[in-house]
Amino acid sequence: MMDNPVNRTRNDDESGYDPSAVEGKWQQAWLDRRTNTTDVAAAPDPFYALMMFPYPSAEGLHVGNLFAFVGADVYGRFQRLQGHNVFEPFGYDAFGIHSENYALKVGKHPMDLIPQNIANFGRQVARAGLMVDWSKSVDTTNPDYYKWTQWVFLQLLRQGLAYKKQAAVNWCPSCKTVLANEQVIGGACERCDTPVEQRFLSQWFFRISDYAGRLLANLDGLDWSETTKTAQRNWIGRSEGAQISFAVRKNGADHTIPVFTTRPDTVFGATYLVIAPEHPMVASLTSGVYRSAVDQYLARSAKQDLVTRKSNTEKTGVFTGAHAINPATGQEIPIWISDYVLMEYGTGAIMAVPGHDERDFEFAKVFGLPIVRVVCAEGAEPSEPLDEAFTENERGIIVNSGRFDGMTVSTARREIMKMLDEKDAGHPVVNYRLHDWCISRQRYWGPPIPIIYCDDCGAVPVPEKDLPVVLPFVEDFKPDDSGVSPLARHEDWYRVPCPQCGKMSRRETDVSDTFLDSAWYFLRYPSVGIDEAAFDSRITKKWLPVDSYIGGNEHAVLHLLYSRFVTMVLHDMGMLEFEEPFTRFRAHGLIIRNGAKMSKSKGNVVIPDQYIEKWGADAFRTYLMFLGPFEEGGDFRDASISGVKRFLDRLWASVTSAVDLSASNGAHDPDVTRKLHQTIRKVGDDIPKLSYNTAVAAMMEYMNVLRRGERSPSRAEVEPLVRMVSPFAPHIAEELWEKLGHTESVFDTGWPSFDQSLAVAERIDLVVQVNGKTRGKLSVAPDISQEDAVAAVMNEESMSKFLGGMPRKVIFVPGRLLNLVG
RNA sequence: GCGGGAGUGGCGGAACUGGUAGACGCGCUGGACUUAGGAUCCAGUGGAGCAAUCCGUGGGGGUUCGAGUCCCCCCUUUCGCACCA
């Protein structure tokens, strides 16, 4: 690739700016002077600036990681310059299938691999000049940390929010392992291409769905990126509808099948019911001659993996032989089984209204079931047969529905609900698509779930005093065919006495989901080093909730939702005073390279180390923040870094020449002063908005004014610039600040003060339009009156000639624009 | 299919509540200093035209004195979710 950053050598100029020397010096100085260490107990004005901790991959830091971290660091450093005691911690999310698979691939043990990766990440993060407080770091694989992850599990259990149930998982029969949905590609294992099967395993779940309403409602009050909030709203998926009961007579006894629908107004058109293959009533509903067909269908759908099943397009199904009574029409309708109905949503059963639901329509076509129209477009013929499902409900009129005929959909909805309610056959309900959170992983590389199974006492939680349940070092951590974790092969580990009765029992051998590790790490950071609790209440009260959280939108619905859930639960238990963990969250964008996505296979991945070596961390950081709007991401182009480097070179030259001016304030130029104050305002406005690219541009503009006409700037003109640039380029800022004669860190000196009166221009360009077209501009005092402005324009032949007379109408925007309409 | 974005010079990208479109940077052109320039500095740089001027923010309508910005209809693109009843 022609733009390999390392194949060009710089011949360094005489200016004396050597980024690697300056950066090395200050990185060491920050450590020696404990510049970035926050006194969490004493800090009078705490500000918690959080970035998403990374998974420490073997490849090292990706430029996308660094983009996010630097963006968070700029914000944190800015807040510090505003006078806050900023706490900016860093850690590692090092458990999980990703690490485990990589270890398997390279034939090493994760317990050996992870510390190396962490060391490498730490080195890279430090080299990038992040303002990290290294005294408070977190590594999720450290027993000192996951002891408390296990403790969090026990709290949920205590609250009745953790439970165990059978659930389907994807199973690769060749790799002999459970796969996450993302690892199933087109129904096959992503690694070996073997068709994936469904298995039913007993697993631990958290009742996050109990919190669905609150998780949704609280979003309105959060200062978060709208994109993230929207993603969470969709994920939680609230829908209002009704639960309607269909009566079934079976073997002389009466049963009901509850269904969920968002369209109770169409109940007269429900011509059959469909239940999911996993529905508990399948066996009892199936009668004699239909049994073998049903069994066949169940076997077939059980073999299918979960991903393909959901993407099946042609409808399949089987009749149970049973019928139910439609509570509206009183008619008997058949009960079918089909995999297009999902057990996880609603009640696992639906009333099928083929006339007004596309999926039901398709199914009815395949199996020749009756299709009845109950909603009609206004003015259309109700007897007209349907050739597709009519799903429009805004302006529909109810037909074929007895006394409800002629009502609008919304009226009928209300009236039909009332009728069903009177018959005790239906009531309004709110349904969420959010499922309970399955946290069991049949894997090795995670915190063991702290449960012991006793034949007499059942599932017994490990007493808190016995935590952590340490993950043992085992040579063979490869998953096998058993459907349980590799830990289940280590009897010496899992055989333990029951904590309640002492009888020999068996540990839970599954480990917990990585997302549980990351669902509470922000609570731990300020309390790192405290052994008595997961989080110290006094320190937590001081530092939490998090003031600013910056991270990727790929975690919009998992990590960010789980963290909110765990926080809410701990709040409900009285352990936290707040129920939302992140006061403000901003999602950053994605970095692409030369207009294309970065990928290892394309060989176009930016390796930060190389760039930092060539250009320096300051130039690299500043470039990352300059290449595009932070919240949208941008296009990384090697050729463009030079512009930022030039800016830093000029900054260096300007300041060092200003220093030579000795104690005097040097030249005073009102244009420069005005630009300076405009820049202070602009940069101070832009950074809190994360509009880093325009903040850098504004400083470049100021630099251009500062150096116009080969003048030597004064100390008063450069000192504020050094402070403004410091969040982006902290090393050069510290060095120049020192050269300017200061002894304290530039980050402890505050933000430059802004003076409105110095920012105001003496003359402005008033835009002159004639009939809405721009015809020129007028250099005038900012407070010129409309009359004076019009008179001035009429005197200017070059503008007034477009009018040809007196204006009929004048639009005057003071200090900005004059539009004459003829 | 549903939901969220995004379409502006050769390129990355600016443009506050509608008010000089193209800030800033890259690249490019010319010049200065130079043995040299991949260093630095100066000037220029949306398109057409000698010029006055005209045309320009994905396409088509509309509102307005005035639209990149607001409204309606399309097109393209990208990212989520995807049989959610």
Side-chain angles (χ1 to χ4, degrees):
Chain A
M1 204 133 282
M2 63 189 183
D3 43 17
N4 180 343
V6 282
N7 65 8
R8 295 198 287 171
T9 53
R10 274 186 59 78
N11 75 332
D12 238 290
D13 45 281
E14 321 77 66
S15 76
Y17 175 38
D18 175 358
S20 70
V22 169
E23 291 168 7
K25 168 183 166 183
W26 286 98
Q27 281 158 17
Q28 192 57 49
W30 290 332
L31 289 176
D32 295 344
R33 301 178 195 175
R34 300 174 60 80
T35 309
N36 301 331
T37 305
T38 312
D39 184 343
V40 291
D45 184 8
F47 189 96
Y48 191 168
L50 183 66
M51 58 189 93
M52 282 183 180
F53 68 164
Y55 155 69
S57 68
E59 296 81 30
L61 211 54
H62 184 265
V63 68
N65 293 326
L66 209 46
F67 177 70
F69 299 157
V70 171
D73 190 53
V74 169
Y75 194 80
R77 288 182 180 275
F78 176 76
Q79 292 300 338
R80 178 162 173 176
L81 284 159
Q82 299 295 313
H84 300 295
N85 301 106
V86 175
F87 177 48
E88 190 176 302
F90 193 84
Y92 308 93
D93 189 17
F95 266 138
I97 293 175
H98 194 135
S99 311
E100 194 180 303
N101 285 350
Y102 183 82
L104 284 169
K105 195 173 119 193
V106 298
K108 289 191 175 166
H109 196 283
M111 282 190 186
D112 298 329
L113 220 43
I114 289 296
Q116 291 169 19
N117 295 354
I118 285 179
N120 188 38
F121 261 63
R123 177 190 63 76
Q124 290 183 297
V125 166
R127 183 63 189 90
L130 298 196
M131 194 176 72
V132 168
D133 182 348
W134 291 109
S135 70
K136 298 267 190 298
S137 193
V138 142
D139 161 11
T140 57
T141 66
N142 188 322
D144 288 343
Y145 180 83
Y146 69 70
K147 165 183 179 177
W148 299 112
T149 305
Q150 292 168 339
W151 174 86
V152 169
F153 173 91
L154 293 179
Q155 304 317 302
L156 277 125
L157 187 69
R158 208 168 98 195
Q159 282 296 90
L161 293 169
Y163 66 97
K164 210 172 186 199
K165 77 164 185 197
Q166 289 273 323
V169 292
N170 295 303
W171 180 262
C172 172
S174 159
C175 300
K176 304 184 191 312
T177 179
V178 170
L179 300 177
N181 280 352
E182 307 80 61
Q183 295 174 298
V184 182
I185 311 293
C189 172
E190 68 167 355
R191 283 163 74 194
C192 65
D193 246 12
T194 310
V196 170
E197 296 173 1
Q198 236 189 102
R199 275 205 181 185
F200 284 85
L201 301 177
S202 183
Q203 319 204 54
W204 284 97
F205 285 81
F206 286 160
R207 291 189 202 278
I208 190 172
S209 59
D210 282 9
Y211 281 69
R214 234 163 112 195
L215 288 166
L216 184 69
N218 278 10
L219 282 174
D220 294 336
L222 290 180
D223 177 16
W224 281 27
S225 295
E226 276 307 317
T227 51
T228 313
K229 292 209 268 187
T230 305
Q232 289 213 353
R233 286 192 187 104
N234 292 340
W235 186 261
I236 295 169
R238 181 181 200 270
S239 49
E240 271 179 44
Q243 184 161 312
I244 300 178
S245 296
F246 285 71
V248 189
R249 210 168 307 116
K250 195 68 205 162
N251 307 329
D254 288 335
H255 301 273
T256 61
I257 300 179
V259 304
F260 174 72
T261 178
T262 53
R263 295 292 305 276
D265 47 291
T266 63
V267 66
F268 283 84
T271 52
Y272 60 100
L273 292 189
V274 188
I275 63 177
E278 299 82 11
H279 197 280
M281 290 173 76
V282 163
S284 65
L285 287 171
T286 304
S287 57
V289 291
Y290 300 97
R291 194 164 301 274
S292 69
V294 166
D295 288 347
Q296 230 171 60
Y297 187 76
L298 296 185
R300 206 190 100 168
S301 60
K303 254 218 320 257
Q304 233 167 22
D305 73 279
L306 302 167
V307 176
T308 342
R309 167 167 167 182
K310 290 190 177 183
S311 58
N312 280 347
T313 40
E314 325 83 71
K315 296 281 177 285
T316 58
V318 65
F319 179 46
T320 58
H323 288 81
I325 308 293
N326 182 324
T329 61
Q331 279 171 347
E332 279 207 334
I333 58 174
I335 303 171
W336 285 68
I337 299 169
S338 173
D339 64 6
Y340 84 92
V341 172
L342 309 172
M343 194 59 220
E344 316 96 74
Y345 187 75
T347 61
I350 61 157
M351 67 174 206
V353 185
H356 305 285
D357 181 283
E358 283 165 27
R359 296 151 301 180
D360 298 345
F361 185 88
E362 249 181 79
F363 190 84
K365 279 287 175 196
V366 173
F367 294 103
L369 292 157
I371 299 170
V372 174
R373 179 198 277 280
V374 291
V375 184
C376 195
E378 225 170 338
E381 177 50 53
S383 57
E384 183 91 357
L386 289 150
D387 51 8
E388 58 177 359
F390 179 71
T391 54
E392 167 72 37
N393 61 5
E394 285 294 305
R395 286 178 314 170
I397 299 298
I398 299 295
V399 296
N400 296 323
S401 300
R403 66 182 170 92
F404 303 99
D405 284 2
M407 291 183 184
T408 63
V409 165
S410 56
T411 310
R413 191 186 174 83
R414 209 169 46 236
E415 294 301 317
I416 289 177
M417 279 308 301
K418 210 189 286 174
M419 176 271 286
L420 289 170
D421 201 18
E422 281 159 10
K423 288 189 178 178
D424 208 18
H427 57 273
V429 292
V430 172
N431 219 316
Y432 297 95
R433 54 174 292 185
L434 179 67
H435 300 332
D436 279 348
W437 173 14
C438 175
I439 60 130
S440 295
R441 296 291 180 272
Q442 295 73 35
R443 286 295 198 129
Y444 167 69
W445 193 232
I449 293 173
I451 290 287
I452 293 168
Y453 298 102
C454 168
D455 290 340
D456 297 339
C457 309
V460 179
V462 173
E464 288 183 18
K465 65 172 173 58
D466 294 345
L467 297 181
V469 177
V470 176
L471 178 70
F473 180 93
V474 304
E475 287 291 349
D476 176 23
F477 57 93
K478 201 178 170 189
D480 67 15
D481 198 22
S482 58
V484 291
S485 159
L487 291 173
R489 296 194 293 260
H490 295 269
E491 193 176 349
D492 50 330
W493 179 75
Y494 69 69
R495 290 276 289 170
V496 286
C498 168
Q500 272 172 26
C501 69
K503 180 174 172 179
M504 258 335 228
S505 303
R506 183 189 169 99
R507 282 192 192 283
E508 168 68 66
T509 51
D510 284 356
V511 299
S512 61
D513 184 5
T514 329
F515 279 108
L516 182 58
D517 305 328
S518 58
W520 75 280
Y521 77 110
F522 49 90
L523 295 172
R524 182 64 184 166
Y525 274 140
S527 296
V528 163
I530 289 167
D531 296 332
E532 301 76 38
F535 43 90
D536 175 84
S537 62
R538 202 175 49 85
I539 288 175
T540 301
K541 188 173 177 170
K542 191 180 189 73
W543 288 95
L544 282 123
V546 170
D547 294 287
S548 164
Y549 195 18
I550 291 176
N553 237 349
E554 68 273 16
H555 292 118
V557 292
L558 296 175
H559 162 62
L560 286 171
L561 197 64
Y562 295 150
S563 299
R564 295 181 59 215
F565 166 62
V566 167
T567 303
M568 264 178 209
V569 173
L570 295 173
H571 165 80
D572 290 351
M573 296 181 77
M575 295 175 180
L576 296 174
E577 292 184 14
F578 50 93
E579 62 174 36
E580 287 292 340
F582 314 122
T583 305
R584 175 184 147 114
F585 172 76
R586 290 292 180 278
H588 66 251
L590 256 44
I591 298 283
I592 56 173
R593 173 95 179 272
N594 298 327
K597 228 185 245 180
M598 273 185 263
S599 71
K600 266 185 273 181
S601 56
K602 279 192 217 146
N604 63 347
V605 175
V606 173
I607 299 163
D609 280 350
Q610 293 176 1
Y611 287 82
I612 289 176
E613 190 184 328
K614 163 130 185 67
W615 299 98
D618 283 335
F620 191 59
R621 287 169 59 107
T622 309
Y623 176 60
L624 285 176
M625 298 298 99
F626 179 65
L627 57 71
F630 183 67
E631 292 178 81
E632 284 163 41
D635 194 358
F636 190 101
R637 293 187 178 248
D638 293 44
S640 297
I641 304 177
S642 58
V644 170
K645 179 58 167 49
R646 265 197 276 271
F647 167 67
L648 296 179
D649 285 341
R650 280 179 221 164
L651 176 70
W652 180 277
S654 299
V655 174
T656 47
S657 70
V659 171
D660 292 342
L661 287 171
S662 76
S664 93
N665 253 358
H668 176 75
D669 180 333
D671 288 339
V672 174
T673 306
R674 184 179 319 116
K675 188 66 181 176
L676 169 63
H677 282 270
Q678 289 169 348
T679 306
I680 293 172
R681 175 174 52 197
K682 171 84 175 148
V683 175
D685 284 348
D686 283 353
I687 292 179
K689 289 191 291 187
L690 271 48
S691 186
Y692 298 145
N693 55 334
T694 55
V696 174
M699 290 187 280
M700 287 172 165
E701 272 187 71
Y702 176 59
M703 175 67 73
N704 291 342
V705 172
L706 193 64
R707 289 173 64 83
R708 197 150 55 196
E710 304 195 12
R711 64 190 288 281
S712 280
S714 71
R715 169 183 289 267
E717 289 166 348
V718 295
E719 284 200 342
L721 180 59
V722 170
R723 290 197 274 179
M724 284 191 282
V725 87
S726 67
F728 299 92
H731 313 85
I732 191 175
E734 289 275 38
E735 179 68 15
L736 292 174
W737 195 245
E738 190 182 71
K739 281 190 185 300
L740 284 159
H742 303 283
T743 49
E744 77 217 299
S745 167
V746 67
F747 296 100
D748 293 324
T749 64
W751 192 248
S753 53
F754 165 67
D755 185 337
Q756 171 68 32
S757 66
L758 293 174
V760 176
E762 286 155 23
R763 296 191 77 75
I764 52 128
D765 284 342
L766 186 74
V767 175
V768 178
Q769 298 186 336
V770 177
N771 293 323
K773 271 187 181 282
T774 303
R775 292 302 184 181
K777 56 191 176 183
L778 223 47
S779 181
V780 297
D783 56 352
I784 188 171
S785 69
Q786 177 174 327
E787 291 69 30
D788 292 350
V790 172
V793 171
M794 296 313 284
N795 277 335
E796 279 287 339
E797 165 65 16
S798 65
M799 294 181 240
S800 58
K801 71 178 180 185
F802 294 99
L803 197 58
M806 288 307 286
R808 268 194 307 116
K809 186 176 171 187
V810 176
I811 312 277
F812 182 62
V813 184
R816 207 156 239 233
L817 165 139
L818 180 71
N819 186 8
L820 304 178
V821 185

